[in-house]
Amino acid sequence: MSDAYCPHMGAHLGHGGKVRGEAIECPFHLFCFDGAGSCVSTPYGTKVPPKAKLPMVPLEEKNGLLLAWFHSEGRAPDWHAPALETTGWLPLTTEEWVINTHPQETTENSVDLGHLPAVHGYRDVEILTPVAVDGPLLTTRYAVWRKGLAHFTTDFRMEFNISVWGLGYSFVEVEVPAFRLKSRNFVLVSPIDGQRSYFRSAMTVSDESDPKGLSPLLGLLPKALSLRLVRAAAFHGYVADIKKDLAIWQTKRYVEPPARAVGDGPIGVFRRYCRQFYSELHPAAHLVAQAG
Ligand code: FES
Ligand SMILES: [Fe+2]
């Protein structure tokens, strides 16, 4: 995958660029670039400028997602999120927002136990496996009780199995034993300009989930249709939860060090884990280092 901006004079190739054979043509002066990012032609008929090279970013297609690796010093990937077995899982359903925050702030949600009752209305938060860090991977498991869905169900227990891979890719397996429901949630955050980020979420459910667990009426429908309805209902609930976090993220600011209290969850462990993802040459690294 290439950078979006033309190295000639900066036009955005995603807005008016055209694919010409194996190359992409910039809409501004019609320079063409091949799959390796090299300029291969200009309409001037003169020698192509050797410096006109599109920066390339490694791209992987994995788990139904396109995952791009970005390193501010251009280093190659030294770790990869694991490929998951997708057989037995419905196609992903997705939604995205542009929000005024940084990927570290959104990812911190995974360990911020204090906000679960306050923002999401969960109760009886129970840590099943304490947070652990292994290089770029941070894991933890916890369970919560959640209010029933609009008088439709009674309160139910949810178990979250969280794997955070860096600040742009979190994978959360959710189990709701009462509904025999298993879902996979991806939280995918990309910084835009230091102030804003794309926040993308994707979800799928296992085809072993039992729709009758959610409602006996769903058992009357063909299984494929009822599973899609279950996925839609689960995603609706997930998005409703995300929107509660979004309302906070849009206006909060980063506080380091926080005025910590017992009950916060392992915020300090998370912030130390995050340091590995900042380049020494990146200004944010100095902020983190000073604060630490
Ligand atoms: S800015 Fe792309 S060809 Fe000039
Ligand atoms: Fe949250």
Side-chain angles (χ1 to χ4, degrees):
M1 189 180 87
S2 78
D3 190 51
Y5 297 97
C6 179
H8 177 224
M9 291 197 194
H12 194 299
L13 299 171
H15 292 268
K18 290 196 172 70
V19 174
R20 302 280 186 208
E22 295 296 307
I24 185 162
E25 180 187 79
C26 176
F28 200 5
H29 310 95
L30 309 184
F31 286 23
C32 284
F33 301 87
D34 67 13
S38 299
C39 182
V40 288
S41 68
T42 77
Y44 308 153
T46 52
K47 188 167 168 288
V48 297
K51 284 194 180 152
K53 188 151 180 19
L54 271 170
M56 301 300 287
V57 175
L59 186 72
E60 290 181 355
E61 187 173 352
K62 187 178 278 181
N63 306 334
L65 306 165
L66 290 172
L67 301 176
W69 167 274
F70 176 79
H71 192 291
S72 58
E73 295 168 41
R75 289 197 213 147
D78 51 12
W79 55 269
H80 299 263
L84 304 166
E85 177 56 71
T86 53
T87 307
W89 293 84
L90 268 63
L92 291 172
T93 184
T94 62
E95 185 148 352
E96 74 171 46
W97 298 265
V98 174
I99 54 175
N100 298 318
T101 194
H102 186 280
Q104 182 178 318
E105 290 276 66
T106 59
T107 307
E108 191 166 272
N109 227 238
S110 293
V111 298
D112 184 341
L113 302 180
H115 93 292
L116 296 175
V119 174
H120 300 295
Y122 298 164
R123 62 178 166 80
D124 299 329
V125 178
E126 181 188 352
I127 297 168
L128 302 174
T129 309
V131 72
V133 171
D134 181 7
L137 173 63
L138 179 145
T139 53
T140 186
R141 281 179 68 230
Y142 50 79
V144 302
W145 280 84
R146 184 186 165 132
K147 279 201 174 64
L149 304 171
H151 311 295
F152 187 47
T153 67
T154 55
D155 291 3
F156 55 91
R157 177 183 156 102
M158 303 171 76
E159 295 176 10
F160 298 89
N161 188 9
I162 295 172
S163 300
V164 175
W165 288 91
L167 303 184
Y169 178 97
S170 295
F171 171 57
V172 184
E173 294 167 287
V174 183
E175 231 177 293
V176 184
F179 306 153
R180 294 187 285 280
L181 173 68
K182 281 186 191 170
S183 74
R184 286 174 169 175
N185 301 3
F186 297 91
V187 185
L188 309 155
V189 193
S190 304
I192 298 172
D193 54 12
Q195 303 294 325
R196 298 172 303 152
S197 301
Y198 286 113
F199 185 95
R200 299 183 172 102
S201 65
M203 174 190 261
T204 174
V205 297
S206 163
D207 65 11
E208 288 176 5
S209 302
D210 182 1
K212 293 196 294 301
L214 195 58
S215 165
L217 292 177
L218 290 175
L220 304 175
L221 299 174
K223 180 89 186 270
L225 174 60
S226 60
L227 278 173
R228 284 177 181 269
L229 291 173
V230 167
R231 184 188 61 181
F235 194 57
H236 181 77
Y238 178 44
V239 166
D241 266 349
I242 290 172
K243 285 182 175 169
K244 291 174 184 165
D245 288 317
L246 287 178
I248 301 284
W249 293 329
Q250 290 281 30
T251 50
K252 86 182 285 296
R253 74 174 180 186
Y254 184 63
V255 173
E256 178 62 44
R260 298 194 49 199
V262 174
D264 282 339
I267 303 292
V269 175
F270 174 77
R271 293 194 177 182
R272 281 193 294 282
Y273 157 81
C274 289
R275 289 181 196 168
Q276 66 183 299
F277 303 112
Y278 292 91
S279 161
E280 283 303 307
L281 302 181
H282 193 282
H286 301 292
L287 287 179
V288 173
Q290 280 169 17

